[in-house]
Amino acid sequence: MGNCIGKKENHQKAETLEKSNTLSNEKEPEIDFESEFNVMWQDFGDETKIHDDSLRLFFDKIEIKKDSAEEFLTTYILKCQTLAVITQPELFEYCKLNELNSWDALANSIQEKIREYSEDKKHMRLFFKYIFEKSSDYPKVIETKLAIPILEILIELFPWSLANRFLVYLKMYRKSEHLKIDEWEHIPVFLIEHKDGLHDYNEEDSAFPRLFDEFVKSMSSTFIRVLTHE
Amino acid sequence: MSDKKKPKIKSFKSIAKVASVEEAEELLEKISKAINQIYNFETSTLRYQEYYSYCYTLTMSKKEKILYNSLKSIIEEKTKIITEQLKGVQRENLLVKFRDLWDTHKTCTGYVKNLMSYLETGYIQQNRLTPIYDLGLITFKELVFKDETLCPKLNNLLMEMINKDRNGEVIEKDVIKSISNMLIEVGLNSRQMYKEILEDSFLMQTDIFYNNEAKLLIDEIQVPEFLKKAEERLEEEKRRVFAYLDISSMEPLLRLVDKNFIEINAKALVNSDSGLAKMINNTSINDICRMYRLYQRTHDLQKEIHACLERYILEKCEEIVKNQESIKNPIKLISDIIELREKIILIHTSAFKRDIMAEVSIRRSFENVFNKYPRIVLALVLYIDYLFQKEIKGISDEEIDLKLNKIIALFKYISDKDVFESYYKNYLAKRLLSDKSLNDEAEKSFVRLMKTECGSQYTSRIEGMINDMGVAKQDSNHFQNTAQFDFEVRVLTQTYWPQDDLQPILLPVQLAQISEKFTNFYMTQHSGRRLNWKHSYGNCILKANIGCEGKQYELLVSTYQACVLLLYNETDNYPLTSIISSLRGFKDELVKHILGLVKAKILTKPARGKDLPDDSVLTLNTKFTNKLKRIQVTIISSKEKEKNSQSQTMVDEERKHVIESAIIRVMKSRRELEHPNLIVEVCKLVSHRFTPDIKTVKKRIESLIERDYLERDERNINLYRYKA
């Protein structure tokens, strides 16, 4: 993730930036937004890529936890070409489009979008599609061994019991080596649509891929129930 | 004319004089006297015209109100006398007396009405007062029927009489009829009196009577007898109404009989030991018909019969299917089902009068059985095979048609018609290729029947198979004539016939030459075609000198068996592996044919048992001997279960394509469609071949999405869009 050239120097640079930010917060002057960005991105070999440490600092500033589902969602919001890698032009483009000129404004904008997207089936479907495109080696399927760890991170976006049960089901019962893109894309849609329970899920009328029918069927299994209780 | 005086008509009013008070009192007195005379039946001296003028004079003198009131008083007085008379009558004579006094009262009131016609048409009508006749009836109702002792007495007597009648005793029905009419008449336009004094108590008494009777009878007599009794009681009650009750009592009365006899006992009657099942078993058409008729009288009661009929068919079918003999013999299984269906259809036609709901029940129960036991589908195909190979020998075309119609009736119950088609094609192929079908026309006729039921698409391949045989025979005859050689080949269109993966074997020189000759001949006849030889279906007559006696046998063997035996021209022992490599044949298929030779004792194998191990060495039986010169050598075919599972796999594979093509057809025309609608449309499209599983349809939709034929709408996952 990111470029590792000049890691030590970059770390020092990031510390300097943090200090300046703290100072500036005390005095409450107008932050030179673009110059701070430039500090983050400069002298790392590839000017468009941000360094890991700076990236951590960047997420701290916008109050997003690093290595979390929100981090992935942020890169989706910023329309980043590479998953969890933010380039300077991408960030600038976002700020320009949304007329953002301070850290607070950027943080607010992204967090607001995260909140909005987390409950929107269409956006979450597109987000999962984005994750699929950026992570799968195949055009129409994603390997289960890759899909499950990614889903373990993304599941935080769905803080209700059904989501965990679904993850348990995938881990235990998904025999096939792959998840089809159609199945993958519909995971968030299914979880959002049935966040209150599966009482209204009707296998025969439901257009969800069969993966979800099988999951719902297995919900009657004691094994799954016991596991999810634990 | 002008000279003559025109006659003058003096107005009646102008000549009438107005009466003084004394004169008016006198006139009133006269009228009262006349009315009394009427009630005393002394009417001979009364001149109606005279009383008409009295009434007129009184009216002119404005005394009409007094006249009307005085009339009212006289009628009341006379009715009071009637009441007293009735009270004094002995109980047993009360009904007759009632009738007589009522008749007298009516007649007298009628006379009074005539006598006072001027008052009636003038004063009474203008002031909308109660007409004189009605006044008589109302007074009778008020004074006689409101009497506290008289009414209960009358009611008791009536009930007593009706009860006697119901128990078969003789009663004076005309008297009761008169009383019944009186109660209706006295109420004028209301049935209230009839209801209060007669109908309510009568219906209550009837209810108790039939409730007790039905309770008693249901334990004592068999269901058919019970139903007969119910029908008799209904007829009796109808007669009773016509004899002495008002027609309006008919409906509630019969309803009570229906309720107590049938409605309350509906389930018990149907499910009793002597109930519907037994009646169907004994084909008691009349009893079933009676039951149906009686149940039909009450709304929604026939469903008990339909449910019982469904249960009966299911139970009987299961009995047949689970019968040990039927398990071994599919022909018996189907014969028994046909017999059962014929019986049910007879009952449906004669007893249920072709009732639609009963027909639905019959169809549903047979469909359930056919789909619960897929074995029946195979058995039906075997039955058809048996029919075309053996049973239709020597029977008339009409009889054949009758049999085919019975079969097609069962065919209609199959939901998975594609499974039937798959089995049918296998057995038809065998029949056609081995020339065992006794009647080509009957074969075609059956295909026509299937076509009518399922459409031309369903039978296109079967028709293709039959057509192929006709063309192939012509080609073969043509070749035989030119080649002067007894060699028949059937050229078949690959797509019509059951598929197998068997490749042609390496024929011995003798056979290879002639088959090459045929290939050349065929190519000259039909250019641009490719012949793929299916040796496993071939057979031939092989003349062989085997055994110790030096006798020449004619062996009726398969092409495979002939090829194997020809190898033994060089040596008496051949390892199985060498046979397979020499012929370049498929091992499992060759083994079936070799085991046939072993069974016929032409070849011997070292190990006992049904199997043929890979390292077996097969030896020509030099001690072979047989009384017959011509010997039929069979093929040890694979187990039926294996064959069927192969058929099922092929059917499943075929279904995938059928469902997918249906989805594409629907989506191509509709462009976008919601999930439930697509499922319904697809099920509708494929239902003539099979009932698709929703899961399978979903699976095919997913597969089409994966292959980019369809896509889901971004916002609505229920909406599919066709991607051209």
Side-chain angles (χ1 to χ4, degrees):
Chain A
M1 215 180 284
N3 199 331
C4 293
I5 300 167
K7 195 174 176 181
K8 198 177 170 187
E9 290 87 340
N10 283 334
H11 188 65
Q12 285 165 356
K13 189 70 76 181
E15 277 177 356
T16 321
L17 186 72
E18 202 169 6
K19 278 175 192 169
S20 74
N21 195 35
T22 321
L23 282 169
S24 63
N25 276 344
E26 283 168 5
K27 292 172 189 171
E28 293 181 355
E30 194 67 28
I31 296 167
D32 184 359
F33 198 58
E34 195 169 333
S35 67
E36 279 199 55
F37 284 165
N38 288 335
V39 172
M40 280 184 173
W41 266 276
Q42 71 188 349
D43 297 334
F44 298 120
D46 182 350
E47 281 185 4
T48 63
K49 286 187 181 170
I50 191 168
H51 186 269
D52 273 358
D53 296 332
S54 296
L55 192 64
R56 187 160 286 112
L57 186 62
F58 170 78
F59 280 116
D60 281 351
K61 275 181 174 295
I62 58 168
E63 291 169 17
I64 298 286
K65 203 178 146 197
K66 184 84 174 64
D67 299 326
S68 68
E70 287 182 349
E71 182 194 342
F72 287 129
L73 198 50
T74 306
T75 55
Y76 166 70
I77 291 165
L78 296 177
K79 294 179 184 163
C80 296
Q81 280 299 311
T82 313
L83 190 64
V85 174
I86 301 165
T87 66
Q88 199 180 41
E90 286 161 353
L91 186 61
F92 281 8
E93 181 66 21
Y94 178 79
C95 292
K96 205 171 137 191
L97 268 175
N98 294 282
E99 297 173 355
L100 307 171
N101 53 11
S102 70
W103 284 112
D104 281 349
L106 178 64
N108 285 341
S109 166
I110 287 176
Q111 276 169 18
E112 196 182 310
K113 278 205 161 61
I114 287 174
R115 274 195 298 279
E116 183 196 331
Y117 287 7
S118 304
E119 287 169 8
D120 184 279
K121 284 185 269 184
K122 185 194 165 188
H123 273 299
M124 287 309 275
R125 187 178 162 190
L126 290 173
F127 167 54
F128 267 62
K129 193 175 179 180
Y130 166 81
I131 298 280
F132 178 89
E133 283 164 0
K134 303 300 172 199
S135 52
S136 177
D137 295 334
Y138 306 98
K140 289 184 179 174
V141 291
I142 181 166
E143 286 173 299
T144 319
K145 63 183 179 191
L146 177 62
I148 289 176
I150 294 177
L151 200 58
E152 275 178 329
I153 298 170
L154 300 183
I155 216 81
E156 309 168 359
L157 295 168
F158 315 99
W160 47 88
S161 62
L162 185 73
N164 281 323
R165 289 180 189 192
F166 183 73
L167 190 61
V168 171
Y169 169 78
L170 273 189
K171 282 180 185 170
M172 303 208 62
Y173 291 103
R174 187 62 184 187
K175 302 269 176 3
S176 155
E177 290 180 349
H178 301 104
L179 279 182
K180 291 175 200 160
I181 181 163
D182 191 40
E183 293 169 334
W184 172 259
E185 270 179 39
H186 283 91
I187 293 173
V189 183
F190 174 78
L191 294 178
I192 293 171
E193 201 165 306
H194 297 286
K195 64 192 286 189
D196 297 328
L198 294 165
H199 51 273
D200 58 346
Y201 189 89
N202 183 349
E203 189 183 321
E204 292 194 354
D205 293 341
S206 154
F208 278 109
R210 280 173 313 114
L211 167 70
F212 301 97
D213 295 344
E214 284 157 18
F215 164 65
V216 174
K217 209 172 167 186
S218 76
M219 285 298 284
S220 57
S221 143
T222 325
F223 189 54
I224 282 272
R225 249 183 281 140
V226 169
L227 264 174
T228 44
H229 274 299
E230 282 169 0
Chain B
M1 285 290 282
S2 59
D3 296 338
K4 285 183 184 174
K5 278 188 177 178
K6 281 182 183 174
K8 274 188 180 176
I9 300 167
K10 284 185 181 173
S11 104
F12 187 69
K13 280 181 183 175
S14 64
I15 56 163
K17 61 171 186 176
V18 177
S20 64
V21 178
E22 290 78 23
E23 283 169 337
E25 273 178 11
E26 194 183 328
L27 288 178
L28 277 172
E29 184 61 36
K30 279 182 182 175
I31 291 172
S32 300
K33 201 177 164 191
I35 294 171
N36 275 320
Q37 271 180 276
I38 288 172
Y39 278 99
N40 294 332
F41 297 101
E42 295 162 359
T43 52
S44 54
T45 55
L46 293 177
R47 287 164 63 198
Y48 282 81
Q49 199 183 347
E50 192 182 326
Y51 289 94
Y52 185 89
S53 68
Y54 294 166
C55 286
Y56 174 72
T57 310
L58 285 172
T59 307
M60 287 296 110
S61 313
K62 309 282 181 201
K63 301 289 184 207
E64 64 269 50
K65 194 178 176 186
I66 300 170
L67 178 62
Y68 183 71
N69 288 338
S70 118
L71 174 66
K72 244 174 135 179
S73 308
I74 296 167
I75 292 175
E76 271 177 25
E77 192 187 309
K78 295 296 170 192
T79 315
K80 274 179 191 165
I81 296 168
I82 293 174
T83 314
E84 289 310 312
Q85 279 178 318
L86 285 170
K87 277 182 178 175
V89 172
Q90 283 193 325
R91 193 172 179 272
E92 59 270 25
N93 298 327
L94 183 67
L95 289 180
V96 179
K97 192 70 181 169
F98 231 114
R99 180 192 61 185
D100 295 346
L101 288 176
W102 164 250
D103 286 344
T104 312
H105 180 73
K106 270 197 309 179
T107 315
C108 296
T109 317
Y111 285 151
V112 174
K113 182 194 159 197
N114 292 340
L115 194 77
M116 316 271 288
S117 57
Y118 186 81
L119 187 74
E120 175 94 358
T121 50
Y123 173 74
I124 293 175
Q125 274 184 14
Q126 279 162 18
N127 292 288
R128 292 181 183 173
L129 298 171
T130 312
I132 297 168
Y133 188 78
D134 292 357
L135 193 66
L137 303 188
I138 291 166
T139 315
F140 195 90
K141 185 171 95 177
E142 295 295 327
L143 295 176
V144 179
F145 288 113
K146 292 287 153 84
D147 187 90
E148 283 178 1
T149 54
L150 217 46
C151 269
K153 224 185 212 180
L154 178 66
N155 178 269
N156 279 344
L157 262 172
L158 285 169
M159 293 308 111
E160 201 176 291
M161 288 295 146
I162 294 171
N163 214 17
K164 277 183 181 175
D165 183 33
R166 211 168 250 155
N167 290 325
E169 290 179 45
V170 181
I171 59 161
E172 287 183 88
K173 290 180 183 171
D174 54 335
V175 179
I176 303 174
K177 179 73 182 171
S178 303
I179 302 288
S180 159
N181 287 343
M182 173 188 77
L183 294 170
I184 293 287
E185 276 180 75
V186 92
L188 296 173
N189 292 323
S190 147
R191 290 177 67 251
Q192 196 199 345
M193 290 311 297
Y194 175 76
K195 218 167 141 9
E196 275 178 17
I197 294 174
L198 179 59
E199 196 183 48
D200 286 352
S201 339
F202 168 65
L203 291 179
M204 199 191 289
Q205 180 180 291
T206 308
D207 196 17
I208 296 166
F209 179 83
Y210 284 129
N211 191 279
N212 291 338
E213 187 176 69
K215 269 184 194 163
L216 199 72
L217 289 178
I218 200 156
D219 295 330
E220 277 182 2
I221 56 174
Q222 301 271 295
V223 172
E225 298 307 314
F226 184 87
L227 296 173
K228 267 183 203 164
K229 188 74 189 168
E231 211 164 49
E232 275 169 23
R233 284 302 196 185
L234 278 170
E235 284 307 311
E236 243 176 61
E237 294 306 327
K238 274 184 204 169
R239 282 200 297 273
R240 177 162 297 118
V241 173
F242 289 124
Y244 52 79
L245 293 172
D246 185 63
I247 193 77
S248 60
S249 298
M250 180 80 89
E251 201 193 319
L253 177 59
L254 299 185
R255 178 83 198 85
L256 285 176
V257 184
D258 286 333
K259 186 191 93 181
N260 288 303
F261 270 92
I262 308 298
E263 205 177 323
I264 292 174
N265 303 309
K267 264 192 184 165
L269 287 172
V270 162
N271 300 323
S272 150
D273 290 344
S274 58
L276 186 62
K278 195 179 175 189
M279 293 186 220
I280 299 174
N281 257 344
N282 300 338
T283 332
S284 315
I285 301 290
N286 288 338
D287 292 335
I288 300 169
C289 193
R290 185 172 297 112
M291 178 178 255
Y292 205 71
R293 221 166 31 226
L294 288 167
Y295 275 60
Q296 209 171 20
R297 297 176 55 83
T298 308
H299 172 70
D300 222 20
L301 213 56
Q302 280 171 309
K303 68 178 183 194
E304 295 295 340
I305 293 184
H306 298 146
C308 180
L309 182 67
E310 266 186 54
R311 275 198 305 277
Y312 177 85
I313 296 172
L314 278 170
E315 278 168 20
K316 284 287 158 190
C317 281
E318 289 202 337
E319 221 172 84
I320 293 169
V321 173
K322 286 173 184 168
N323 181 297
Q324 282 305 313
E325 256 185 85
S326 299
I327 291 171
K328 286 178 202 158
N329 184 358
I331 312 300
K332 182 176 165 23
L333 170 75
I334 297 299
S335 303
D336 288 352
I337 292 180
I338 288 178
E339 198 183 316
L340 173 70
R341 188 185 167 276
E342 287 305 300
K343 186 197 255 186
I344 300 293
I345 294 300
L346 174 72
I347 289 166
H348 178 244
T349 318
S350 330
F352 298 159
K353 310 293 176 209
R354 299 180 192 276
D355 175 70
I356 294 281
M357 292 314 290
E359 193 181 326
V360 170
S361 297
I362 294 168
R363 195 175 59 231
R364 192 168 43 214
S365 39
F366 274 112
E367 278 174 0
N368 283 344
V369 174
F370 272 63
N371 298 319
K372 190 175 172 188
Y373 300 100
R375 190 155 63 82
I376 302 177
V377 178
L378 178 61
L380 186 62
V381 174
L382 290 169
Y383 181 83
I384 297 166
D385 192 51
Y386 169 76
L387 183 82
F388 286 131
Q389 283 194 38
K390 288 174 186 161
E391 208 183 323
I392 58 170
K393 194 174 185 180
I395 63 172
S396 69
D397 287 351
E398 287 76 23
E399 281 175 291
I400 293 173
D401 283 347
L402 205 67
K403 279 183 182 292
L404 294 184
N405 282 326
K406 284 177 186 173
I407 294 171
I408 213 76
L410 297 192
F411 169 77
K412 285 179 188 173
Y413 297 136
I414 300 170
S415 300
D416 296 342
K417 293 200 169 61
D418 54 343
V419 176
F420 176 89
E421 187 202 358
S422 167
Y423 290 143
Y424 185 80
K425 272 171 62 182
N426 285 339
Y427 285 90
L428 176 68
K430 274 187 196 169
R431 274 202 304 282
L432 294 177
L433 292 175
S434 56
D435 249 344
K436 281 183 179 166
S437 183
L438 295 175
N439 190 333
D440 286 350
E441 273 313 305
E443 290 273 10
K444 284 178 187 168
S445 183
F446 186 68
V447 175
R448 271 196 298 277
L449 289 172
M450 285 199 286
K451 198 175 182 175
T452 315
E453 185 57 31
C454 300
S456 55
Q457 210 188 343
Y458 182 76
T459 51
S460 61
R461 281 182 282 195
I462 296 170
E463 282 174 306
M465 286 168 75
I466 294 171
N467 290 341
D468 267 358
M469 289 308 290
V471 177
K473 272 181 189 166
Q474 282 174 10
D475 278 340
S476 189
N477 289 342
H478 194 186
F479 173 70
Q480 280 190 43
N481 291 339
T482 47
Q484 299 291 312
F485 192 83
D486 191 10
F487 183 76
E488 280 185 48
V489 181
R490 301 274 179 263
V491 182
L492 315 170
T493 314
Q494 197 172 2
T495 48
Y496 296 154
W497 293 73
Q499 303 286 317
D500 66 35
D501 303 330
L502 296 177
Q503 293 301 313
I505 55 168
L506 190 67
L507 292 175
V509 189
Q510 301 92 320
L511 289 172
Q513 281 174 349
I514 190 72
S515 64
E516 201 181 327
K517 246 185 191 178
F518 180 83
T519 308
N520 294 336
F521 162 80
Y522 188 78
M523 289 309 173
T524 55
Q525 300 287 317
H526 311 275
S527 58
R529 293 191 188 176
R530 195 164 60 87
L531 284 181
N532 184 17
W533 290 85
K534 293 283 177 191
H535 296 133
S536 58
Y537 294 107
N539 54 59
C540 63
I541 301 171
L542 197 72
K543 288 182 181 173
N545 292 314
I546 48 173
C548 51
E549 295 167 347
K551 185 174 161 184
Q552 191 184 56
Y553 294 97
E554 281 185 7
L555 304 175
L556 305 178
V557 289
S558 68
T559 309
Y560 273 29
Q561 287 167 337
C563 293
V564 172
L565 286 178
L566 285 171
L567 293 174
Y568 284 86
N569 278 337
E570 291 162 19
T571 171
D572 285 352
N573 298 310
Y574 242 105
L576 176 64
T577 46
S578 303
I579 295 174
I580 293 167
S581 61
S582 303
L583 299 178
R584 290 186 205 158
F586 182 61
K587 184 196 151 195
D588 290 350
E589 187 65 19
L590 262 173
V591 165
K592 288 194 291 185
H593 292 258
I594 293 169
L595 284 173
L597 292 169
V598 173
K599 193 184 172 192
K601 294 178 181 168
I602 296 167
L603 295 182
T604 56
K605 66 182 178 89
R608 286 192 173 186
K610 288 178 183 174
D611 297 331
L612 197 59
D614 287 353
D615 57 353
S616 304
V617 177
L618 293 141
T619 310
L620 189 71
N621 184 6
T622 47
K623 291 173 186 168
F624 178 80
T625 176
N626 199 311
K627 280 183 224 168
L628 302 170
K629 190 186 176 200
R630 183 172 271 223
I631 301 161
Q632 173 81 52
V633 181
T634 55
I635 302 165
I636 309 298
S637 52
S638 56
K639 283 176 188 168
E640 209 63 45
K641 265 189 184 173
E642 280 173 36
K643 275 187 190 174
N644 295 343
S645 72
Q646 280 172 6
S647 271
Q648 192 55 49
T649 318
M650 281 167 70
V651 167
D652 290 343
E653 203 54 40
E654 176 84 17
R655 279 185 185 183
K656 278 185 191 172
H657 302 306
V658 175
I659 294 173
E660 282 190 359
S661 67
I663 296 170
I664 292 294
R665 221 175 305 151
V666 173
M667 290 306 293
K668 215 170 179 176
S669 65
R670 306 285 285 270
R671 309 311 288 183
E672 57 178 42
L673 199 61
E674 291 227 326
H675 176 79
N677 297 339
L678 178 61
I679 298 278
V680 170
E681 297 264 343
V682 169
C683 290
K684 219 189 284 174
L685 267 180
V686 301
S687 61
H688 68 281
R689 291 181 69 87
F690 58 92
T691 311
D693 177 23
I694 306 291
K695 278 183 196 166
T696 318
V697 181
K698 271 182 99 170
K699 202 171 176 180
R700 294 338 305 156
I701 293 173
E702 279 175 47
S703 170
L704 289 169
I705 290 174
E706 205 180 335
R707 284 179 281 151
D708 289 334
Y709 285 98
L710 304 180
E711 64 178 0
R712 293 179 202 266
D713 182 71
E714 275 189 8
R715 285 212 161 270
N716 179 5
I717 75 146
N718 270 315
L719 188 70
Y720 299 115
R721 202 167 285 124
Y722 180 66
K723 282 170 92 175

